[in-house]
Short mmCIF file of all heavy atoms in Angstrom, two decimals:
data_model
loop_
_atom_site.label_atom_id
_atom_site.label_comp_id
_atom_site.label_asym_id
_atom_site.label_seq_id
_atom_site.Cartn_x
_atom_site.Cartn_y
_atom_site.Cartn_z
N ALA A 189 2.99 -20.27 -10.53
CA ALA A 189 3.38 -20.78 -9.20
C ALA A 189 2.86 -19.96 -8.07
O ALA A 189 2.72 -18.71 -8.24
CB ALA A 189 4.87 -20.88 -9.07
N THR A 190 2.48 -20.53 -6.93
CA THR A 190 2.07 -19.84 -5.78
C THR A 190 2.84 -20.33 -4.58
O THR A 190 3.00 -21.52 -4.39
CB THR A 190 0.52 -20.12 -5.47
OG1 THR A 190 -0.10 -19.82 -6.70
CG2 THR A 190 -0.01 -19.11 -4.52
N ASN A 191 3.34 -19.36 -3.83
CA ASN A 191 4.12 -19.68 -2.62
C ASN A 191 3.43 -19.01 -1.41
O ASN A 191 3.66 -17.78 -1.17
CB ASN A 191 5.50 -19.30 -2.78
CG ASN A 191 6.39 -19.63 -1.68
OD1 ASN A 191 5.93 -20.29 -0.63
ND2 ASN A 191 7.67 -19.29 -1.75
N LYS A 192 2.62 -19.75 -0.70
CA LYS A 192 1.78 -19.10 0.38
C LYS A 192 2.14 -19.69 1.69
O LYS A 192 2.22 -20.88 1.87
CB LYS A 192 0.33 -19.30 0.06
CG LYS A 192 -0.50 -18.06 0.28
CD LYS A 192 -1.90 -18.32 -0.27
CE LYS A 192 -2.88 -17.25 0.28
NZ LYS A 192 -4.09 -17.24 -0.43
N VAL A 193 2.25 -18.78 2.71
CA VAL A 193 2.37 -19.31 4.05
C VAL A 193 1.02 -19.59 4.59
O VAL A 193 0.25 -18.55 4.68
CB VAL A 193 3.08 -18.30 4.98
CG1 VAL A 193 3.77 -18.97 6.10
CG2 VAL A 193 4.05 -17.42 4.16
N SER A 194 0.57 -20.84 4.84
CA SER A 194 -0.76 -21.00 5.21
C SER A 194 -0.90 -20.99 6.71
O SER A 194 0.03 -21.11 7.47
CB SER A 194 -1.22 -22.31 4.55
OG SER A 194 -0.40 -23.36 5.01
N GLY A 195 -2.22 -20.90 7.15
CA GLY A 195 -2.54 -21.11 8.48
C GLY A 195 -2.44 -19.86 9.42
O GLY A 195 -2.99 -19.76 10.43
N THR A 196 -1.74 -18.82 8.97
CA THR A 196 -1.75 -17.61 9.85
C THR A 196 -2.58 -16.53 9.22
O THR A 196 -2.91 -16.51 8.11
CB THR A 196 -0.22 -17.05 9.90
OG1 THR A 196 0.21 -16.82 8.61
CG2 THR A 196 0.72 -18.02 10.67
N VAL A 197 -2.93 -15.63 10.14
CA VAL A 197 -3.71 -14.46 9.77
C VAL A 197 -2.77 -13.56 8.94
O VAL A 197 -1.70 -13.28 9.39
CB VAL A 197 -4.24 -13.72 10.96
CG1 VAL A 197 -5.11 -12.47 10.59
CG2 VAL A 197 -5.03 -14.64 11.89
N PRO A 198 -3.18 -13.07 7.79
CA PRO A 198 -2.32 -12.13 7.07
C PRO A 198 -2.03 -10.96 7.87
O PRO A 198 -2.95 -10.44 8.55
CB PRO A 198 -3.10 -11.82 5.74
CG PRO A 198 -4.33 -12.68 5.81
CD PRO A 198 -4.42 -13.38 7.06
N LEU A 199 -0.78 -10.46 7.90
CA LEU A 199 -0.34 -9.41 8.74
C LEU A 199 -1.29 -8.20 8.53
O LEU A 199 -1.62 -7.57 9.63
CB LEU A 199 1.08 -9.09 8.32
CG LEU A 199 2.01 -8.35 9.37
CD1 LEU A 199 1.88 -9.04 10.67
CD2 LEU A 199 3.40 -8.39 8.83
N SER A 200 -1.73 -7.86 7.40
CA SER A 200 -2.49 -6.61 7.20
C SER A 200 -3.82 -6.71 7.83
O SER A 200 -4.54 -5.77 8.10
CB SER A 200 -2.67 -6.34 5.72
OG SER A 200 -3.36 -7.46 5.11
N GLU A 201 -4.32 -8.00 8.21
CA GLU A 201 -5.60 -8.20 8.78
C GLU A 201 -5.51 -8.43 10.29
O GLU A 201 -6.50 -8.42 11.05
CB GLU A 201 -6.15 -9.44 8.30
CG GLU A 201 -6.77 -9.34 6.88
CD GLU A 201 -8.10 -9.91 6.83
OE1 GLU A 201 -8.53 -10.72 7.59
OE2 GLU A 201 -8.87 -9.49 5.85
N ALA A 202 -4.26 -8.59 10.75
CA ALA A 202 -4.12 -9.02 12.16
C ALA A 202 -4.54 -7.91 13.10
O ALA A 202 -4.14 -6.74 12.92
CB ALA A 202 -2.67 -9.46 12.42
N GLU A 203 -5.19 -8.26 14.20
CA GLU A 203 -5.54 -7.22 15.18
C GLU A 203 -4.50 -7.08 16.23
O GLU A 203 -4.42 -6.06 16.89
CB GLU A 203 -6.91 -7.55 15.77
CG GLU A 203 -8.03 -7.56 14.78
CD GLU A 203 -9.39 -7.70 15.31
OE1 GLU A 203 -9.55 -8.06 16.44
OE2 GLU A 203 -10.41 -7.50 14.53
N LEU A 204 -3.72 -8.12 16.41
CA LEU A 204 -2.71 -8.12 17.39
C LEU A 204 -1.39 -8.49 16.74
O LEU A 204 -1.38 -9.54 15.98
CB LEU A 204 -2.98 -9.02 18.59
CG LEU A 204 -4.39 -8.94 19.31
CD1 LEU A 204 -4.49 -10.08 20.18
CD2 LEU A 204 -4.57 -7.63 19.89
N VAL A 205 -0.30 -7.76 16.93
CA VAL A 205 1.01 -8.05 16.20
C VAL A 205 2.07 -7.96 17.25
O VAL A 205 2.19 -7.01 17.94
CB VAL A 205 1.22 -7.10 14.99
CG1 VAL A 205 2.56 -7.28 14.38
CG2 VAL A 205 0.10 -7.22 13.95
N VAL A 206 2.90 -9.01 17.17
CA VAL A 206 4.18 -8.99 17.97
C VAL A 206 5.36 -8.85 17.00
O VAL A 206 5.47 -9.66 16.13
CB VAL A 206 4.32 -10.31 18.81
CG1 VAL A 206 5.65 -10.37 19.46
CG2 VAL A 206 3.22 -10.33 19.89
N SER A 207 6.16 -7.90 17.21
CA SER A 207 7.19 -7.57 16.22
C SER A 207 8.58 -7.54 16.81
O SER A 207 8.74 -6.98 17.99
CB SER A 207 6.88 -6.25 15.58
OG SER A 207 7.67 -5.99 14.49
N GLY A 208 9.60 -8.09 16.16
CA GLY A 208 10.93 -8.13 16.71
C GLY A 208 11.88 -7.32 15.85
O GLY A 208 11.77 -7.34 14.63
N GLY A 209 12.97 -6.79 16.42
CA GLY A 209 13.99 -6.10 15.72
C GLY A 209 15.29 -6.69 16.07
O GLY A 209 15.44 -7.82 16.60
N ARG A 210 16.36 -5.98 15.70
CA ARG A 210 17.80 -6.41 15.77
C ARG A 210 18.16 -6.67 17.25
O ARG A 210 19.04 -7.39 17.54
CB ARG A 210 18.68 -5.40 15.16
CG ARG A 210 19.87 -6.05 14.59
CD ARG A 210 20.35 -5.32 13.37
NE ARG A 210 20.45 -3.87 13.60
CZ ARG A 210 20.86 -3.09 12.63
NH1 ARG A 210 21.27 -3.58 11.44
NH2 ARG A 210 21.04 -1.77 12.85
N GLY A 211 17.39 -6.03 18.17
CA GLY A 211 17.64 -6.25 19.62
C GLY A 211 17.54 -7.65 20.04
O GLY A 211 17.93 -8.09 21.13
N LEU A 212 16.84 -8.51 19.22
CA LEU A 212 16.63 -9.93 19.56
C LEU A 212 17.92 -10.80 19.34
O LEU A 212 17.95 -11.94 19.53
CB LEU A 212 15.39 -10.49 18.92
CG LEU A 212 14.22 -10.26 19.72
CD1 LEU A 212 12.95 -10.10 18.85
CD2 LEU A 212 13.88 -11.25 20.80
N LYS A 213 18.86 -10.09 18.69
CA LYS A 213 20.23 -10.69 18.40
C LYS A 213 20.37 -11.78 17.44
O LYS A 213 21.38 -11.83 16.73
CB LYS A 213 20.79 -11.30 19.77
CG LYS A 213 20.85 -10.41 20.91
CD LYS A 213 21.83 -9.36 20.84
CE LYS A 213 21.96 -8.54 22.11
NZ LYS A 213 20.99 -7.43 22.15
N GLY A 214 19.28 -12.56 17.12
CA GLY A 214 19.51 -13.60 16.11
C GLY A 214 18.17 -14.38 16.04
O GLY A 214 17.28 -14.30 16.85
N PRO A 215 18.02 -15.16 14.90
CA PRO A 215 16.83 -15.83 14.59
C PRO A 215 16.52 -17.00 15.72
O PRO A 215 15.35 -17.32 15.99
CB PRO A 215 17.00 -16.56 13.25
CG PRO A 215 18.50 -16.48 13.01
CD PRO A 215 18.99 -15.31 13.76
N GLU A 216 17.61 -17.42 16.34
CA GLU A 216 17.42 -18.46 17.37
C GLU A 216 16.66 -18.00 18.59
O GLU A 216 16.03 -18.75 19.29
CB GLU A 216 18.81 -18.94 17.89
CG GLU A 216 19.70 -17.99 18.62
CD GLU A 216 20.43 -16.94 17.64
OE1 GLU A 216 20.26 -17.02 16.45
OE2 GLU A 216 21.17 -16.08 18.19
N ASN A 217 16.49 -16.67 18.68
CA ASN A 217 15.71 -16.08 19.82
C ASN A 217 14.24 -15.79 19.48
O ASN A 217 13.48 -15.21 20.24
CB ASN A 217 16.31 -14.74 20.34
CG ASN A 217 17.68 -15.12 21.08
OD1 ASN A 217 17.74 -16.17 21.68
ND2 ASN A 217 18.62 -14.22 20.91
N TRP A 218 13.80 -16.20 18.31
CA TRP A 218 12.47 -15.78 17.85
C TRP A 218 11.40 -16.76 18.55
O TRP A 218 10.27 -16.43 18.60
CB TRP A 218 12.31 -15.82 16.34
CG TRP A 218 11.84 -14.63 15.87
CD1 TRP A 218 10.60 -14.16 15.61
CD2 TRP A 218 12.66 -13.39 15.63
NE1 TRP A 218 10.58 -12.86 15.18
CE2 TRP A 218 11.89 -12.32 15.21
CE3 TRP A 218 14.00 -13.14 15.79
CZ2 TRP A 218 12.27 -11.07 14.95
CZ3 TRP A 218 14.52 -11.89 15.53
CH2 TRP A 218 13.63 -10.86 15.09
N GLY A 219 11.95 -17.89 19.08
CA GLY A 219 10.95 -18.77 19.80
C GLY A 219 10.15 -18.06 20.85
O GLY A 219 8.94 -18.30 21.07
N ILE A 220 10.84 -17.19 21.69
CA ILE A 220 10.11 -16.49 22.70
C ILE A 220 9.03 -15.53 22.15
O ILE A 220 8.01 -15.31 22.79
CB ILE A 220 11.05 -15.78 23.73
CG1 ILE A 220 11.93 -14.72 22.89
CG2 ILE A 220 11.91 -16.79 24.43
CD1 ILE A 220 12.79 -13.78 23.97
N LEU A 221 9.35 -14.93 20.97
CA LEU A 221 8.23 -14.01 20.40
C LEU A 221 7.11 -14.89 19.90
O LEU A 221 6.00 -14.48 20.01
CB LEU A 221 8.87 -13.25 19.25
CG LEU A 221 9.74 -12.02 19.57
CD1 LEU A 221 9.86 -11.17 18.31
CD2 LEU A 221 9.13 -11.25 20.62
N GLU A 222 7.52 -16.04 19.33
CA GLU A 222 6.43 -16.95 18.80
C GLU A 222 5.51 -17.43 19.95
O GLU A 222 4.29 -17.50 19.80
CB GLU A 222 7.05 -18.18 18.10
CG GLU A 222 7.44 -17.86 16.68
CD GLU A 222 8.38 -18.94 16.11
OE1 GLU A 222 8.69 -19.93 16.69
OE2 GLU A 222 8.82 -18.62 14.95
N ASP A 223 6.14 -17.69 21.08
CA ASP A 223 5.40 -18.08 22.22
C ASP A 223 4.44 -16.95 22.72
O ASP A 223 3.20 -17.13 23.03
CB ASP A 223 6.21 -18.48 23.43
CG ASP A 223 7.03 -19.73 23.20
OD1 ASP A 223 6.61 -20.46 22.22
OD2 ASP A 223 8.02 -19.99 23.94
N LEU A 224 4.93 -15.73 22.76
CA LEU A 224 4.10 -14.52 23.13
C LEU A 224 2.99 -14.27 22.17
O LEU A 224 1.79 -14.18 22.49
CB LEU A 224 4.98 -13.29 23.23
CG LEU A 224 4.21 -12.05 23.46
CD1 LEU A 224 3.45 -12.08 24.84
CD2 LEU A 224 5.16 -10.80 23.54
N ALA A 225 3.35 -14.46 20.86
CA ALA A 225 2.26 -14.29 19.80
C ALA A 225 1.26 -15.42 19.93
O ALA A 225 -0.02 -15.20 19.79
CB ALA A 225 2.94 -14.39 18.39
N GLY A 226 1.73 -16.62 20.21
CA GLY A 226 0.82 -17.68 20.34
C GLY A 226 -0.15 -17.55 21.51
O GLY A 226 -1.32 -17.78 21.42
N ALA A 227 0.35 -17.02 22.65
CA ALA A 227 -0.41 -16.82 23.84
C ALA A 227 -1.54 -15.73 23.59
O ALA A 227 -2.63 -15.83 24.07
CB ALA A 227 0.46 -16.41 24.99
N LEU A 228 -1.12 -14.75 22.78
CA LEU A 228 -2.05 -13.63 22.48
C LEU A 228 -2.98 -13.97 21.39
O LEU A 228 -4.02 -13.21 21.15
CB LEU A 228 -1.30 -12.37 22.14
CG LEU A 228 -0.63 -11.55 23.32
CD1 LEU A 228 0.42 -10.57 22.69
CD2 LEU A 228 -1.62 -10.84 24.11
N GLY A 229 -2.57 -14.86 20.50
CA GLY A 229 -3.26 -15.06 19.23
C GLY A 229 -2.96 -13.97 18.27
O GLY A 229 -3.69 -13.48 17.44
N ALA A 230 -1.62 -13.57 18.27
CA ALA A 230 -1.10 -12.43 17.47
C ALA A 230 -0.31 -12.91 16.28
O ALA A 230 0.07 -14.10 16.22
CB ALA A 230 -0.27 -11.55 18.26
N SER A 231 -0.14 -12.12 15.36
CA SER A 231 0.69 -12.41 14.16
C SER A 231 2.14 -11.84 14.41
O SER A 231 2.31 -10.91 15.22
CB SER A 231 0.12 -11.83 12.85
OG SER A 231 -1.11 -12.39 12.56
#
Side-chain angles (χ1 to χ4, degrees):
Chain A
T190 310
N191 181 2
K192 220 170 168 170
V193 205
S194 56
T196 54
V197 183
L199 204 46
S200 60
E201 287 229 338
E203 293 186 352
L204 309 173
V205 174
V206 173
S207 187
R210 208 142 56 175
L212 276 150
K213 307 286 187 279
E216 66 281 3
N217 290 327
W218 240 262
I220 57 170
L221 281 197
E222 280 166 3
D223 290 346
L224 175 60
L228 284 165
S231 297

